[in-house]
Amino acid sequence: MARITVTVDGMRFTHEVEPRTLLVHYLRETVGRTGTVVGCDSSNCGACTVLVDGESIKSCSVLAVQADGAEIETVEGLAAGDGTLHPVQQAFHEHHGLQCGYCTPGMLMRTVCLVRENPEPTEDEVREGLKGNMCRCTGYQGIVSAVMAYSQAARDEEVGR
Amino acid sequence: MSTAPDAPSAQDERTPEIGRARLRREDERALTGRTRWTDDMTLPGMLHLSVLRSPVAHASITELDTTEAARAPGVVGVWTGEDLPEQGAMPTAWTVSDDMRTPPYFPLSVGSVKHVGDIVAVVAATSKEAADDALELIDVDYDELPVVVDPMVAKQEGSPLVHPDLGTNVCATWGLDSVTLGTGGDAAAAIREAESDPDQVVVRRTLRQNRVTPAYIEPRSIVVDPTAEQVTMWSATQVPHIVRILMAMTQPIEEHELRVVAPDVGGGFGGKLQFTREEALVLLIARRLRLPCKYTESRSESMQSSHHARDQVQELTLAARRDGTITALDVDLTADMGAYLGILTAGIPLLGGFMFNGIYRIPAYSFHCTDVFTNKTMTDAYRGAGKPEATFGIERMMDELAVELDLDPIEVRRRNWIRPEEFPYATVAGLTYDSGNYDQATDKALAMFGYDELRAEQRRRREAQDPVQLGIGVCTFVELSGLAPSRVLGGLNYGSGGWEHSTIRMLPTGKVEVVAGTTSHGQGHATAFSQIVSDELGIPFEDIVLISGDTASAHKGMDTYGSRSLVVGGMAIVGAARKVVEKARPIAAHMLEASTDDLEFAGGRFSVKGTGSGVTIQEIMISTWLAHDLPDGLEPNLDADCTFDPENFSYPTGTHLAAVEVDTQTGRVTVRDYVCVQDVGVLVNPMIVDGQVHGGLTQGIAQALYEEIQYSDEGQLTSGTLADYLVPAAPDVLRYRTDTTVTEATTNVLGVKAVGETGATAAPPAIVNGVLDALRPLGVTDITMPCTPPKVWTAIDEARRTTEGQVTA
């Protein structure tokens, strides 16, 4: 067993974990944050995407022990404390960027990182930036529209500041 | 309807909900991670199950030793088929013919395995890791047997037998003939006549439907809690009601002892329309141990064992006069069942049998289907279930006919399709299409697409011998959706009714609970159904909530598949809402001191004709609950039930046009533009309709270009993960251009048609027709799906060699 300390959505946790435990299983089963989900066992689907120290990563492809000391952001930390949706969540809602919702946590976290890295993406760049996240329901059209709208909203917010 | 001018009701001016692109009320939970998927659940004392799957396609099990596994850390128990004598055989719900052969199929295999992924043992342990570790300690000796993977080989005499006791690999044969049906002439005779008639042509083709899999993103998961009087099963299923009844009919539990809940379910597409062995196993083990148990499949297990789909060989013969008028169609279908029968397996090709005629006037039709066993995972429903296969067959043949006669593919279709004035139209396959206008949708699609301009560009590129050729793919389709009329299903030996149920529960405060027998896994039922009820009862959208997916609270239903939620389930909701209004009417009359005949109901309010007095249905509800002053003999209750059984299927239609670019040097196909104009009747929520269309199109394009379940000759699954089974990602597809035309359905009161399966049905032929349209000048006449770069390149290369050979000779 190994001892790790992580911050998840602003809360600090210290746990003993088996060295083989994947970060996604640690988040779901030990921390109890089930918003992040598992879709495959080959790191192809992206459903488990979270932010680790600001970078989007597939939490099935790293060990919990590798996240020791890291700051982790999950879908459960996106909305404000009063329940107000984060602009990325609002954009997905308004553009029908989800149907069953299973890929949504990973899509949202990937989008936050994508737009941070490229604040003014073209539609092609958005599609390319989402290629590691699979959605079987929407055909991506609503998702792509949502990401474009979110990037615009993020830019507007910058300008407004 | 008149409203007293001095007393306009605010609700009379409300904007209708139906037709409004209302944002979905189900989104917030998913967006904030507050969903509850089955795998999220943990119960006190819960054990974890893992199953041992066969690594070989066909074998006798000569030894199966679980001793060491049973002693492993954390392991509570290990069971093989022999250790579970109480397990019942898994059911199939569709016996398509009297002589259909149903092979033994148990939750745990007994004595032999029939495909890679077949289940041989189950372990229960205190953690998933411990259960997985223990699987490796189970000792199995497989005595491998001959394998058959190709259905055309499997149906031949002397091929290896999947189930030797059956003495054949043929599961069933089934047919349709327009002579027997009384709907048309003798297809065989018409084809013979055409062959010797210089004024006619006969086109024969053998087409293949690639084996694909629904590939929902949420893996299947099951939790069973046996600790209360009623056992509760949570399952990532589309069909909780069907699972409950089939479990009770085949496994050692009575129906009233079991509650099945489908909590949040992550995708389905038919893939979760199944009663699975894993569901049965979790129940059996949980009841043995008297402890809650969970099983969640891995993606690799899903690829091996959750059902696959399509996998057909279609031998088609189309006869037509030289002016393009079709005179006969014959279809000889070989359908791969895989090794076992799921609940609908044998019925899927049968459904297609009704749709090979498409939207066309075909005077003679014969259909013959052979269902065959192979050493592969079973096939069953996937988005469209039989109809995409049939649509592919006829729409590919229409293009082949166009080429044969040197006609434009749109023109050859126009000359054959059913005219608007001919509806309702009795088809040669025995169905009655209620409404449609194929010219309207096609003309709109052609204009949106810029058909003539694209044809001109195509000519230019051909003349310039551009290495990237342009192809235009056409598909005009009709769907058979909303699996229903129970009498019709009975005639097809389908082991279930097709009705749907709803209850409207009027709460004392005027709020409404809509209980539906269908369950949502992304289709937006909570939003769409609330919109319908809001209009029916004149109650604000926000005052309505949907309850579904739990056999305890939504006690009756046939669940969600085959695009039946709106056209069947939605009508049950309408029926229940209208009964609520009729129950409220005498109470309103009593409250208003008027005769019921003098009342009119609009915008949620009963009013007395010609006066300003009125009362809302929400006010009536609280008065009913108080029950202080009800008319004599009336129950204090405004709830109502409706079980709706429609008189006909639903027939959405449309025209799809694809512009594809094919790089002749690499074989890469790129979809440049995709236009579809569909007629799905009245739109309840246009945003949700668009979403359904986009998703279906993507799955259809994926079948045409990317996806294929592949087996080696030894029956090894060589596309067993998402790394080698190519589900498209965002860069692989494009922004679709979609629109609608509306001819109202005449078979339901809202005039709605189904939509969920349309994209997956129409896109494969549209894309493949486009690829071939690009490559015909190079001599390419067929490419089987998926049209991957190596396959396209090889087809071009082979065609070039053939042409060069002819030139040299």
Side-chain angles (χ1 to χ4, degrees), chain A residues 96 99, chain B residues 523 566 678 680 682-695 738 740 753-756 758:
Chain A
H96 197 27
Q99 288 180 24
Chain B
Q523 298 93 334
L566 177 60
Q678 303 203 128
V680 297
V682 170
L683 307 177
V684 173
N685 183 321
M687 181 191 78
I688 291 175
V689 168
D690 275 348
Q692 291 286 308
V693 173
H694 296 163
T738 65
T740 50
K753 300 179 185 179
V755 66
T758 54

Side-chain angles (χ1 to χ4, degrees), chain B residues 627-797:
Chain B
H628 294 167
D629 180 24
L630 286 183
D632 289 344
L634 275 193
E635 268 185 72
N637 177 357
L638 276 193
D639 298 348
D641 284 295
C642 175
T643 307
F644 175 78
D645 202 346
E647 60 186 84
N648 197 349
F649 300 103
S650 166
Y651 300 102
T653 76
T655 297
H656 289 227
L657 298 168
V660 302
E661 292 188 329
V662 186
D663 186 330
T664 58
Q665 294 174 321
T666 64
R668 186 192 162 111
V669 177
T670 309
V671 185
R672 189 173 95 182
D673 194 13
Y674 199 104
V675 165
C676 76
V677 176
Q678 303 203 128
D679 179 355
V680 297
V682 170
L683 307 177
V684 173
N685 183 321
M687 181 191 78
I688 291 175
V689 168
D690 275 348
Q692 291 286 308
V693 173
H694 296 163
L697 285 176
T698 303
Q699 291 181 11
I701 291 171
Q703 188 186 0
L705 296 181
Y706 307 117
E707 294 183 23
E708 185 171 37
I709 291 282
Q710 293 176 319
Y711 284 89
S712 71
D713 293 343
E714 295 75 35
Q716 282 299 324
L717 177 65
T718 57
S719 54
T721 71
L722 292 178
D724 33 34
Y725 182 86
L726 299 182
V727 172
D732 302 318
V733 290
L734 71 162
R735 188 166 282 274
Y736 310 113
R737 297 195 290 142
T738 65
D739 206 340
T740 50
T741 57
V742 178
T743 58
E744 292 191 13
T746 62
T747 50
N748 65 63
V749 290
L750 296 185
V752 294
K753 300 179 185 179
V755 66
E757 300 170 299
T758 54
T761 292
I767 297 292
V768 175
N769 280 339
V771 171
L772 290 171
D773 184 54
L775 298 179
R776 279 193 204 273
L778 305 180
V780 177
T781 54
D782 193 24
I783 298 172
T784 54
M785 295 189 290
C787 302
T788 57
K791 237 192 262 182
V792 172
W793 188 88
T794 304
I796 295 167
D797 189 53

Side-chain angles (χ1 to χ4, degrees), chain A residues 20 28 38-41 44 75 89 93 96 98-100 102 108 123 127 131 136-141 145, chain B residues 24 27 31 37 39-40 129 133 213-214 269 299-300 382 691 694-695 698-699 707 728 730-731 733 735-736:
Chain A
R20 66 169 165 175
R28 287 176 54 77
V38 179
C40 73
D41 42 26
N44 285 90
V75 67
Q89 293 169 316
H93 178 50
H96 197 27
L98 64 154
Q99 288 180 24
C100 81
Y102 198 76
L108 294 173
E123 176 157 343
R127 287 181 183 271
K131 74 178 171 192
R136 192 60 159 169
C137 297
T138 63
Y140 302 103
Q141 193 147 320
S145 298
Chain B
R24 299 195 320 167
D27 285 357
L31 288 165
W37 313 104
D39 189 46
D40 295 348
E129 291 77 13
D133 288 349
T213 190
F269 320 112
R299 178 60 53 176
S300 307
Y382 172 43
H694 296 163
T698 303
Q699 291 181 11
E707 294 183 23
V733 290
R735 188 166 282 274
Y736 310 113

Side-chain angles (χ1 to χ4, degrees), chain B residues 11-22:
Chain B
Q11 284 167 324
D12 284 344
E13 291 158 16
R14 58 192 290 283
T15 315
E17 285 287 342
I18 290 182
R20 179 172 174 184
R22 193 181 254 289

Side-chain angles (χ1 to χ4, degrees), chain B residues 155-338:
Chain B
K155 74 176 186 178
Q156 288 164 9
E157 285 286 321
S159 78
L161 293 176
V162 179
H163 302 283
D165 292 350
L166 298 180
T168 174
N169 287 324
V170 174
C171 164
T173 57
W174 192 84
L176 266 181
D177 193 289
S178 54
V179 176
T180 324
L181 287 171
T183 54
D186 181 336
I191 289 165
R192 273 197 306 276
E193 189 192 313
E195 277 173 328
S196 56
D197 179 353
D199 290 332
Q200 291 193 61
V201 292
V202 175
V203 182
R204 290 180 206 278
R205 293 289 182 275
T206 299
L207 304 177
R208 284 184 181 263
Q209 275 281 321
N210 42 333
R211 176 175 276 243
V212 293
T213 190
Y216 41 73
I217 302 292
E218 180 211 16
R220 286 176 302 165
S221 181
I222 303 126
V223 172
V224 172
D225 181 2
T227 59
E229 187 180 13
Q230 199 177 37
V231 175
T232 301
M233 164 181 281
W234 292 266
S235 180
T237 180
Q238 294 173 231
V239 289
H241 296 92
I242 291 173
V243 166
R244 183 196 201 201
I245 192 165
L246 290 180
M247 190 78 82
M249 289 169 84
T250 59
Q251 303 300 324
I253 190 164
E254 302 294 335
E255 191 176 356
H256 65 291
E257 294 176 313
L258 178 64
R259 167 188 172 200
V260 179
V261 185
D264 288 314
V265 175
F269 320 112
K272 289 172 178 168
L273 192 198
Q274 197 56 264
F275 169 40
T276 70
R277 309 163 94 176
E278 291 85 354
E279 285 166 325
L281 278 175
V282 182
L283 182 101
L284 289 165
I285 302 303
R287 294 197 95 197
R288 274 207 170 200
L289 298 174
R290 297 167 183 264
L291 283 170
C293 287
K294 179 200 277 190
Y295 166 82
T296 300
E297 71 182 359
S298 69
R299 178 60 53 176
S300 307
E301 289 182 285
S302 182
M303 299 301 280
Q304 289 178 7
S305 64
S306 66
H307 67 243
H308 300 161
R310 314 289 196 244
D311 206 350
Q312 296 183 351
V313 179
Q314 306 172 344
E315 294 171 277
L316 300 148
T317 309
L318 186 67
R321 282 195 283 276
R322 291 210 167 267
D323 67 2
T325 318
I326 300 168
T327 53
L329 174 67
D330 177 80
V331 180
D332 192 358
L333 188 71
T334 303
D336 193 336
M337 305 286 97

